[in-house]
Amino acid sequence: MSFANQANVSAMPPGVTDPNYRPLPGRLGNLTAAQQQALDTLRGELQAEGHFVPERMDDATLLRWVLRPTLEIVCNRPSRESFLRARKFDVAKAKAMLLSAEQWRKEFGIDDLMVNFEFTEKEDVDKYYPQYYHKTDKDGRPIYIERLGKLDITALYNLTTQERQLKRFVMEYERFLSERLPASSKAIGHPVETSCTILDLQGVSITNFYRVKDYVFQTAKIGQDRYPECMGKFYIINAPWAFSTVWMIIKPWLDEVTVSKIDILGSNYKDKLLAQIPVENLPADLGGKCRCRSGCSLSDAGPWNPQQDGEV
């Protein structure tokens, strides 16, 4: 019998106020007996071995690890071993990947980063490489926008370093999990576990991309290996004709499930975005109607920020 045909044995997660919410298969509130057992086994082994960290190993988070695709790198290209969501939950591999991420957290210094790191150059960096969260899509997901086409690599690295950019990236991922997702979940009335990303390539320079590709690859790998199952939708807009070449470089670094969530759009992207994002939540310079007073890229507007500065 397939997982899809087995009865749900999982209780609805707490805090659900949306009467129309129906969890996806493999999520809390829609687990088969085998999936629930895998989750219980993973949690139990982590507790028994002294690895369990309650503040970041709740059931929803543990499911990210038992749901994530397992990859094997051969000659720098990933090949599928198994897709755990629909087939089987491999507890041993999930635990190994989670413990590897925990070790990475120590080596990267996440706890110290979240207390002491300040990206004081944010406003200046925004002029040359805008990267920001801004409001939510129709499913309640935080929207993350990156304007790679505005990248001025010389100006950027006169203001900051790749190391500081990477620390900022990780800090924002941590805030995404600890602040943005809980606030977005509360606002819409059901669990929100993923983001909606817009990558704008308008005016992108292939030369500039190659100069920043190491940073892009590092962030992609961190996202996939250390923060699994966080991508809900990913729109690449204003993709130039030469992007197919760049895409062939990036694509092997991503798993099949991630690739399936990506829409590559040209300049006629507006209708596609607005099918997923309320017009009032999309920045005006991307075809929406939002005009935050301090600029959408600096406002951090969203349910996680009740002191947002309003609109003009």
Side-chain angles (χ1 to χ4, degrees):
M1 182 182 294
S2 69
F3 281 148
N5 295 324
Q6 296 181 40
N8 168 45
V9 300
S10 172
M12 193 70 76
V16 174
T17 59
D18 177 4
N20 298 315
Y21 175 63
R22 299 292 181 271
L24 293 172
R27 305 291 185 183
L28 290 178
N30 194 0
L31 297 177
T32 66
Q35 292 170 337
Q36 183 67 54
Q37 182 179 9
L39 174 60
D40 293 342
T41 299
L42 176 60
R43 187 195 319 106
E45 290 185 6
L46 291 170
Q47 291 171 334
E49 295 168 11
H51 300 306
F52 189 74
V53 184
E55 59 267 28
R56 59 175 179 269
M57 292 184 186
D58 59 14
D59 283 355
T61 302
L62 292 181
L63 279 172
R64 294 184 187 277
W65 293 97
V66 293
L67 292 177
R68 81 181 297 277
T70 303
L71 299 179
E72 181 181 47
I73 305 300
V74 180
C75 297
N76 297 320
R77 296 180 64 85
S79 60
R80 179 69 54 199
E81 287 183 358
S82 62
F83 177 42
L84 303 179
R85 182 194 303 280
R87 299 171 190 165
K88 66 174 182 176
F89 285 14
D90 191 321
V91 173
K93 288 181 179 176
K95 185 173 72 173
M97 290 184 289
L98 191 155
L99 294 180
S100 174
E102 286 295 299
Q103 181 61 34
W104 169 82
R105 291 179 65 88
K106 294 176 182 178
E107 294 169 356
F108 201 90
I110 301 293
D111 291 343
D112 179 73
L113 178 81
M114 298 308 295
V115 173
N116 297 313
F117 180 71
E118 293 184 26
F119 197 68
T120 53
E121 62 268 43
K122 177 179 178 179
E123 188 169 342
D124 290 326
V125 165
D126 181 71
K127 301 172 187 176
Y128 305 111
Y129 192 4
Q131 301 166 279
Y132 59 99
Y133 286 91
H134 183 268
K135 299 190 174 180
T136 56
D137 71 3
K138 293 180 180 180
D139 294 318
R141 300 185 188 98
I143 301 167
Y144 175 72
I145 300 171
E146 188 164 327
R147 312 294 292 272
L148 190 59
K150 291 191 174 184
L151 175 66
D152 182 330
I153 194 72
T154 301
L156 176 68
Y157 287 143
N158 280 335
L159 295 168
T160 191
T161 65
Q162 182 169 311
E163 180 183 8
R164 286 183 61 78
Q165 280 278 92
L166 202 60
K167 287 183 177 180
R168 177 203 184 186
F169 173 81
V170 171
M171 178 180 71
E172 292 297 340
Y173 237 128
E174 291 287 316
R175 292 185 60 202
F176 166 75
L177 292 172
S178 65
E179 300 173 18
R180 294 186 174 99
L181 288 185
S184 298
S185 299
K186 184 176 180 180
I188 201 168
H190 63 71
V192 176
E193 301 182 28
T194 58
S195 64
C196 175
T197 294
I198 301 171
L199 177 62
D200 183 11
L201 299 183
Q202 184 175 28
V204 72
S205 161
I206 299 300
T207 300
N208 265 3
F209 173 78
Y210 273 98
R211 293 175 67 185
V212 79
K213 66 179 175 63
D214 289 344
Y215 168 77
V216 173
F217 289 160
Q218 278 185 290
T219 58
K221 186 168 178 57
I222 287 174
Q224 180 170 283
D225 293 350
R226 311 309 184 189
Y227 301 98
E229 291 286 303
C230 287
M231 182 192 299
K233 297 290 293 184
F234 195 129
Y235 298 98
I236 298 176
I237 64 173
N238 289 312
W241 65 269
F243 182 71
S244 58
T245 301
V246 178
W247 178 236
M248 293 306 294
I249 296 172
I250 298 174
K251 195 173 179 180
W253 291 73
L254 305 174
D255 62 77
E256 295 170 16
V257 182
T258 299
V259 172
S260 73
K261 298 175 182 178
I262 297 174
D263 281 314
I264 301 177
L265 308 170
S267 58
N268 296 320
Y269 61 81
K270 183 176 177 180
D271 289 346
K272 190 79 171 182
L273 290 189
L274 292 179
Q276 182 65 36
I277 300 170
V279 66
E280 66 272 15
N281 287 2
L282 187 65
D285 59 356
L286 289 175
K289 292 184 177 180
C290 186
R291 298 178 183 274
C292 295
R293 292 186 185 278
S294 63
C296 291
S297 61
L298 293 173
S299 69
D300 197 24
W304 54 85
N305 184 10
Q307 303 302 319
Q308 56 192 265
D309 62 356
E311 301 176 12
V312 296

